[in-house]
Amino acid sequence: MTRRVVVIGALPPPVNGQSKNLMRILNDLAADPRLEVSSQNVSAGALSKSLVSHARKASRILRAWTHLKRHARGAGQRPILYLVADGGKGLAYTEWLVKVARRMGYEIALQHRTFHYVDNENPRMRRVNELLSGNGFHVFLCDRMQERFYKRYGATADSVIIGNQSQYADIAENVAPALPRPGQETLTVGILSNLYPSKGIDTFLAVARRLLEGGQDLRFIIAGPSPDAAITAEMERLKSDFPDRTEIKGGLFGDDKEAFFDDLDIFYFPTRYPFEAQPNVVIEAQSHGAVVLAPDRGCIASDISETGWLIPRSAEADVDCQAQMLAEIAAKGRPEIDRMRESSQARFHGDVVKQRANYIGFLSRVAGEAP
């Protein structure tokens, strides 16, 4: 007997890490013969907030409610709702959907993809956590997220931990090993993201300029769409002032994206995004052996561990401090950086194996079977 699964969350468009990962999980659930899967997209349809996006979100939440009602009827085995918890004000929608799904008889798998309410007390999440008791389980991205959540809200329901690494088995099997680069003394530093200030591109550019003006033997590569005119202008100024030391790639996909990561020694990602959880770009950089320099946000510390460097919260807006950190990393020299690249890639492979096993257990649990 198949089990009904209703998936509710923000699916593309727009395309970001959360929507991409949810789409991958939805496809895996749909391919499982034990499951009868349907979904409802509750994305606001835009990365920026507006009255139009809020109205679209509310309308889609109402459709999600009718979707839940329709699929609860006539189910043999208890149906299950796979729900991605919203952050910020959108948590009101999450609380309501958990309440109505519980009344309709659903088991609930609640996916957490933000640290916003993990690091900041939210009464709505406290109520959601209580509603989950005896009615479902949590899905966390890393041990750190689980520990902080339970410390703040209590362990009213059990949980599984499935990191985004679980979706990168194909890269683990096919990516080239991070081999030493003898004779290439100039280190390559790069960023790939949607180049908003909240993702740290302003800090990246300021640090790059500071180090290049100081004569550091580094090359900087900037990749991703840049929707901010002032940021784009600053990128072009850096390129104009240091044409041999700066590359601007724009949006990258497929082989071009893989080539970008292959070229890196250091992935410098000074994000200040308040909802940062487990950035895919950090995982992808590690998969190719890039050494990561990033802030202590979300799961980043758990993911890079001793193979990278953490920017302390107190220095997230400190250009001087981050420039000094990057200069100290560069001063280690090619042999040490190559050793760290190998360690970074090995860490990625180990995490994929662990998280893939967790993921297979999660699929069995959704199907109503013992993991």
Side-chain angles (χ1 to χ4, degrees), residues 87-329:
K89 294 179 180 178
L91 203 51
Y93 295 133
T94 300
E95 182 184 6
W96 182 64
L97 287 171
V98 168
K99 283 181 180 178
V100 298
R102 176 176 166 169
R103 291 187 191 126
M104 293 174 191
Y106 281 85
E107 182 182 7
I108 301 161
L110 187 68
Q111 171 76 67
H112 301 278
R113 289 197 169 273
T114 175
F115 271 75
H116 192 261
Y117 51 73
V118 176
D119 291 337
N120 304 281
E121 178 76 21
N122 191 307
R124 292 191 183 279
M125 180 48 71
R126 183 167 295 282
R127 290 193 290 270
V128 168
N129 188 43
E130 291 167 356
L131 287 167
L132 220 61
S133 177
N135 292 282
F137 60 97
H138 297 284
V139 184
F140 295 113
L141 290 172
C142 62
D143 294 343
R144 169 177 272 203
M145 176 180 267
Q146 180 195 55
E147 290 165 5
R148 290 186 178 181
F149 183 93
Y150 280 157
K151 183 176 181 180
R152 185 171 296 280
Y153 298 108
T156 62
D158 67 349
S159 63
V160 295
I161 296 174
I162 306 171
N164 289 338
Q165 297 94 333
S166 66
Q167 302 300 311
Y168 286 96
D170 54 338
I171 291 181
E173 294 170 357
N174 298 315
V175 74
L179 299 174
R181 294 168 172 165
Q184 297 184 25
E185 296 305 317
T186 300
L187 299 177
T188 300
V189 182
I191 186 173
L192 170 64
S193 182
N194 291 316
L195 299 174
Y196 292 98
S198 62
K199 288 292 186 176
I201 182 58
D202 51 348
T203 305
F204 182 98
L205 293 170
V207 167
R209 179 170 291 280
R210 182 76 52 86
L211 294 176
L212 291 175
E213 287 177 346
Q216 283 284 334
D217 187 16
L218 294 169
R219 184 168 68 103
F220 291 88
I221 306 178
I222 304 161
S226 176
D228 187 299
I231 291 295
T232 301
E234 182 55 35
M235 287 163 50
E236 295 295 343
R237 281 193 292 272
L238 185 70
K239 171 68 176 174
S240 176
D241 293 343
F242 301 96
D244 297 331
R245 297 285 177 161
T246 307
E247 289 186 52
I248 301 172
K249 295 282 191 180
L252 296 178
F253 304 93
D255 291 344
D256 291 335
K257 185 179 179 182
E258 300 301 305
F260 163 81
F261 283 120
D262 280 338
D263 199 22
L264 293 189
D265 293 303
I266 301 166
F267 183 70
Y268 174 35
F269 186 52
T271 177
R272 303 185 300 275
Y273 182 54
F275 301 111
E276 205 70 81
Q278 192 175 46
N280 287 330
V281 288
V282 169
I283 296 169
E284 291 167 359
Q286 285 185 294
S287 76
H288 290 260
V291 179
V292 177
L293 171 61
D296 186 7
R297 282 186 175 268
C299 294
I300 292 175
S302 298
D303 292 341
I304 68 175
S305 188
E306 72 284 350
T307 66
W309 287 270
L310 283 175
I311 300 165
R313 281 288 184 109
S314 60
E316 285 186 0
D318 191 331
V319 172
D320 290 335
C321 178
Q322 293 187 40
Q324 183 179 350
M325 288 186 73
L326 192 50
E328 289 175 357
I329 295 168

Side-chain angles (χ1 to χ4, degrees), residues 19-30:
S19 66
K20 283 192 299 184
N21 287 330
L22 180 58
M23 194 72 227
R24 287 170 175 164
I25 292 170
L26 174 60
N27 289 338
D28 284 346
L29 291 170

Side-chain angles (χ1 to χ4, degrees), residues 307-370:
T307 66
W309 287 270
L310 283 175
I311 300 165
R313 281 288 184 109
S314 60
E316 285 186 0
D318 191 331
V319 172
D320 290 335
C321 178
Q322 293 187 40
Q324 183 179 350
M325 288 186 73
L326 192 50
E328 289 175 357
I329 295 168
K332 293 180 179 294
R334 169 58 65 190
E336 177 64 12
I337 292 297
D338 282 344
R339 186 191 69 77
M340 295 295 289
R341 288 174 54 242
E342 292 176 9
S343 296
S344 181
Q345 193 175 56
R347 171 74 188 217
F348 163 78
H349 279 279
D351 284 345
V352 168
V353 171
K354 176 183 177 182
Q355 296 303 330
R356 197 66 188 172
N358 290 353
Y359 187 61
I360 292 168
F362 160 75
L363 292 176
S364 292
R365 181 161 184 171
V366 169
E369 300 176 1

